[in-house]
Amino acid sequence: AQSVSQHNHHVILSEAASLELGCNYSYGGTVNLFWYVQYPGQHLQLLLKYFSGDPLVKGIKGFEAEFIKSKFSFNLRKPSVQWSDTAEYFCAASRRTNAGKSTFGDGTTLTVKP
Amino acid sequence: DTEVTQTPKHLVMGMTNKKSLKCEQHMGHRAMYWYKQKAKKPPELMFVYSYEKLSINESVPSRFSPECPNSSLLNLHLHALQPEDSALYLCASSHPSGTVNTGELFFGEGSRLTVL
């Protein structure tokens, strides 16, 4: 079965610390990969996406993610977090041939202390 | 702000009531979705409409009935719900017309449903 797993359920960091959130997927075939963010009281929104090409993708607010095909991973990174990055982060994947059916990971709650 | 509008934002209903959730998008997207999200959990796919036709039903109980009147509107009709159906119901859209559907989702703010 297709699945997406996120390694960290809750991460607590101080401002200016570096962030890396793990995401692994178990899909056969070609996949589209996404990171979504849900700030407190706000709607889910796209942070960044990978379809093909350069495996290092950059998103909004200084976030980036690296697709490593051999490891089935799509980890999210940010060199220096801010208090405003406090949010829930979801990794998601879909098969290229059935892009309408995304599977979400369980999410990681990031708390950034000022 | 999101370009996917959901109403109502909050809904409280009894187990015998009939109510509907509404969703509207004006981005020209050809796919629309209903997701269910419980607290501290990821969104769970319920239904997908593609070009106004139901393309995916994730074995959702018949007390949830989706409807897509046109390419911009998506409804979720609710009847005889159970307390465990209380959740945040998210509408999303994707697939700009004339492109390949990448699955990139644009979410509404959700309708928070409480079933008493």
Side-chain angles (χ1 to χ4, degrees):
Chain A
Q2 303 154 9
S3 68
V4 175
S5 60
Q6 294 182 235
H7 312 306
N8 316 98
H9 291 295
H10 196 175
V11 172
I12 302 173
L13 295 172
S14 298
E15 276 194 316
S18 64
L19 170 72
E20 181 159 3
L21 301 182
C23 172
N24 286 91
Y25 63 94
S26 62
Y27 272 70
T30 308
V31 295
N32 295 335
L33 296 161
F34 308 88
W35 276 97
Y36 290 91
V37 61
Q38 192 167 30
Y39 297 104
Q42 295 189 26
H43 65 283
L44 265 167
Q45 57 188 288
L46 184 74
L47 200 53
L48 44 73
K49 60 194 176 188
Y50 174 79
F51 302 144
S52 63
D54 187 345
L56 184 63
V57 292
K58 295 191 184 299
I60 60 172
K61 304 188 180 185
F63 285 90
E64 64 179 32
E66 185 175 13
F67 169 57
I68 303 180
K69 188 175 180 179
S70 61
K71 295 185 178 180
F72 297 89
S73 70
F74 189 56
N75 292 353
L76 181 70
R77 300 195 291 249
K78 185 170 184 178
S80 175
V81 294
Q82 300 173 324
W83 175 79
S84 58
D85 293 324
T86 295
E88 188 84 14
Y89 292 82
F90 293 98
C91 181
S94 64
R95 274 212 179 96
R96 191 73 54 82
T97 53
N98 190 11
K101 188 170 179 176
S102 287
T103 299
F104 283 76
D106 282 344
T108 298
T109 301
L110 172 65
T111 301
V112 179
K113 295 182 174 180
Chain B
D1 288 345
T2 174
E3 295 182 71
V4 178
T5 305
Q6 291 187 242
T7 55
K9 289 192 177 355
H10 299 274
L11 178 62
V12 179
M13 60 186 292
M15 289 190 285
T16 58
N17 291 159
K18 284 186 181 181
K19 296 285 185 184
S20 297
L21 305 180
K22 298 185 183 301
C23 175
E24 188 169 8
Q25 59 90 10
H26 292 291
M27 294 179 282
H29 288 173
R30 303 317 305 264
M32 295 187 75
Y33 308 75
W34 281 114
Y35 280 85
K36 174 183 178 179
Q37 187 179 27
K38 291 274 201 178
K40 301 295 184 185
K41 293 293 185 182
E44 296 175 29
L45 183 63
M46 299 175 71
F47 303 103
V48 181
Y49 274 83
S50 181
Y51 290 90
E52 298 161 50
K53 294 190 187 305
L54 184 64
S55 60
I56 296 176
N57 176 344
E58 290 288 271
S59 302
V60 179
S62 60
R63 58 186 184 267
F64 295 92
S65 176
E67 178 195 19
C68 188
N70 60 54
S71 60
S72 300
L73 293 174
L74 185 66
N75 298 323
L76 186 63
H77 302 298
L78 314 171
H79 175 53
L81 295 192
Q82 304 297 312
E84 58 264 30
D85 295 323
S86 298
L88 183 67
Y89 288 84
L90 297 169
C91 176
S93 68
S94 74
H95 193 179
S97 182
T99 69
V100 174
N101 188 6
T102 61
E104 176 183 344
L105 297 168
F106 293 76
F107 285 93
E109 293 185 352
S111 293
R112 187 163 299 282
L113 173 66
T114 302
V115 182
L116 302 175

